[in-house]
Amino acid sequence: MAADYPSSIRNFLVLYDGVDKVIANHPNYRGDEITALQTLVGAFGTGQANLTDLRNLLLNYIDDCKLTYTSVASVTVAAGKIVITDASGNCRWRKNTSPVVVTWADIDTGAEANDTYYIYAVADNVGTTFTIMISLNSTTPTGATFYRKIGSFVNSAGDIERDSVVMYPANLYTYFGEWETKVNDTIYQALTDGFICAYRGPDGAMTVLTDSSTPPTTIRGRHADSGADADDSYGSSTVPVKKGDYWKTTGASNVFWIPIKL
Amino acid sequence: MKVETTYGYIKDSEGHIISKCELPKGKHSLKNGYVYVEVATKADLNKIQVHILPLSPEKIRENKIKKEMNRILRDQAIKSLKEKGEIE
């Protein structure tokens, strides 16, 4: 096969029965035209290896398709585009133009349990869109051929935990989740990275503590104002918390948590 | 420590309740010298009172000094502004 792939579609010579004599140039001319990957991608570079590299690059492509918490019984996969492969690396490029609400009706096998579930984009259907499957299996959903893991969540006490919903790959999308009101003098564990925002009224002392074991004893934020007087001031602290660490506040009048979603 | 209901509290070595807890079910690390006590529901947790450490005599004394200092400064500022005719 010739290496000089065309950059535009050729107009083939039309042959007629009983009129034209077939010469070697006719089939050779067609044979120069296209090979498998060029059919898919179009002419690119000068060799087949370049196209394989390009295809491998595109295998990881995902645009939007953000996975977010919807309710205790559902999550949502936003509209977007994604490349989904089978076990051999064959790929299908799919696009959803509207969000998909994923419920327990989308589980691959069995029934809802209290465990970690994985979300897969699936491209086994005929068409241009992808479907969603929930599976306990962290690598292979039951009954799917073209699939790609895009996230996970934890189901606890029959409810999907809001902060447990994460998207893969973890470093692709980072955004803030919803504000949550928390209670002073109460220890929490951060299910994702996030921030504590706490404040107190005049005449008081507040601390924000967080570390890797409970009760957290490492002070990361502190503010105090003594005496009921004319220079009374409010105080606040904003403290980052690592995923898995414990945190609490003391002396705060209002406490908020905002998770970083992945 | 093992959390089974999500709700509980922690006591220090003197038996004081130092904090409430709302933790995911499962195993968690607990620092030495502390005891975890679990309660059944959020309503039960709301009834728990966290121990407030009493102020030391030194702290009480310092707070009194600060309050008096602020009062004196405030009185002097008011007097000065009145003498300048800036406030009544």
Side-chain angles (χ1 to χ4, degrees):
Chain A
M1 192 63 60
D4 55 339
Y5 297 106
S7 59
S8 61
I9 297 173
R10 293 183 185 183
N11 292 314
F12 290 102
L13 178 66
V14 179
L15 303 178
Y16 295 95
D17 280 342
V19 176
D20 294 310
K21 294 180 180 176
V22 177
I23 60 175
N25 188 48
H26 291 147
N28 289 345
Y29 184 46
R30 287 158 173 76
D32 278 349
E33 188 61 23
I34 267 171
T35 57
L37 274 172
Q38 280 72 32
T39 304
L40 176 67
V41 180
F44 183 81
T46 58
Q48 182 79 0
N50 290 1
L51 288 165
T52 303
D53 291 343
L54 176 60
R55 190 199 64 174
N56 290 340
L57 178 71
L58 292 172
L59 288 180
N60 294 319
Y61 183 80
I62 181 170
D63 176 42
D64 206 340
C65 307
K66 284 180 184 171
L67 177 66
T68 54
Y69 174 89
T70 311
S71 72
V72 294
S74 64
V75 294
T76 297
V77 177
K81 291 160 277 187
I82 186 170
V83 178
I84 302 170
T85 61
D86 66 5
S88 300
N90 298 310
C91 56
R92 290 179 176 175
W93 299 355
R94 296 299 173 95
K95 176 183 178 182
N96 282 355
T97 56
S98 58
V100 176
V101 177
V102 186
T103 68
W104 291 109
D106 299 306
I107 196 167
D108 60 345
T109 183
E112 172 189 358
N114 294 326
D115 212 324
T116 298
Y117 282 91
Y118 299 89
I119 305 289
Y120 291 88
V122 178
D124 287 347
N125 60 329
V126 175
T128 60
T129 62
F130 60 92
T131 57
I132 301 296
M133 193 176 275
I134 298 173
S135 179
L136 271 176
N137 196 305
S138 63
T139 57
T140 312
T142 300
T145 303
F146 282 82
Y147 56 87
R148 176 170 172 178
K149 187 165 65 176
I150 61 171
S152 67
F153 65 80
V154 175
N155 198 50
S156 177
D159 292 342
I160 296 172
E161 292 184 8
R162 177 189 292 270
D163 282 351
S164 73
V165 180
V166 293
M167 187 170 182
Y168 303 142
N171 60 353
L172 189 60
Y173 295 111
T174 301
Y175 58 100
F176 283 121
E178 298 299 317
W179 285 102
E180 298 172 26
T181 300
K182 298 296 188 180
V183 180
N184 186 58
D185 271 331
T186 303
I187 297 169
Y188 299 94
Q189 186 181 33
L191 297 179
T192 68
D193 292 340
F195 290 90
I196 308 160
C197 296
Y199 66 87
R200 57 150 187 78
D203 189 18
M206 177 183 75
T207 56
V208 181
L209 309 98
T210 177
D211 56 41
S212 61
S213 60
T214 192
T217 50
T218 308
I219 297 174
R220 310 285 186 185
R222 171 175 256 171
H223 199 280
D225 176 54
S226 297
D229 48 50
D231 68 349
D232 276 345
S233 60
Y234 287 80
S236 67
S237 284
T238 300
V239 172
V241 181
K242 294 170 64 177
K243 178 183 178 181
D245 278 4
Y246 300 87
W247 65 271
K248 65 176 277 191
T249 62
T250 65
S253 57
N254 295 75
V255 183
F256 304 97
W257 166 256
I258 188 163
I260 294 175
K261 307 295 283 188
L262 303 171
Chain B
M1 68 189 205
K2 189 175 182 183
V3 173
E4 293 180 337
T5 69
T6 299
Y7 307 110
Y9 58 87
I10 287 178
K11 294 197 291 187
D12 64 13
S13 57
E14 297 177 354
H16 296 136
I17 297 174
I18 59 137
S19 188
K20 302 178 189 182
C21 297
E22 286 188 32
L23 296 172
K25 294 169 186 172
K27 288 185 177 179
H28 296 269
S29 62
L30 182 66
K31 288 188 170 90
N32 288 334
Y34 296 94
V35 176
Y36 176 70
V37 179
E38 197 152 58
V39 297
T41 65
K42 173 86 170 174
D44 293 333
L45 185 65
N46 290 339
K47 297 173 188 171
I48 301 299
Q49 293 291 320
V50 174
H51 177 70
I52 299 172
L53 285 174
L55 293 176
S56 65
E58 293 78 15
K59 185 68 178 173
I60 293 172
R61 180 175 181 273
E62 284 304 311
N63 282 348
K64 282 182 177 178
I65 292 171
K66 282 181 182 175
K67 282 188 177 180
E68 185 64 6
M69 183 173 68
N70 283 326
R71 188 191 65 75
I72 292 170
L73 285 172
R74 178 180 168 82
D75 289 348
Q76 286 182 344
I78 291 171
K79 183 181 176 185
S80 174
L81 288 169
K82 281 183 176 178
E83 287 173 357
K84 292 177 182 176
E86 294 184 19
I87 62 170
E88 294 184 357

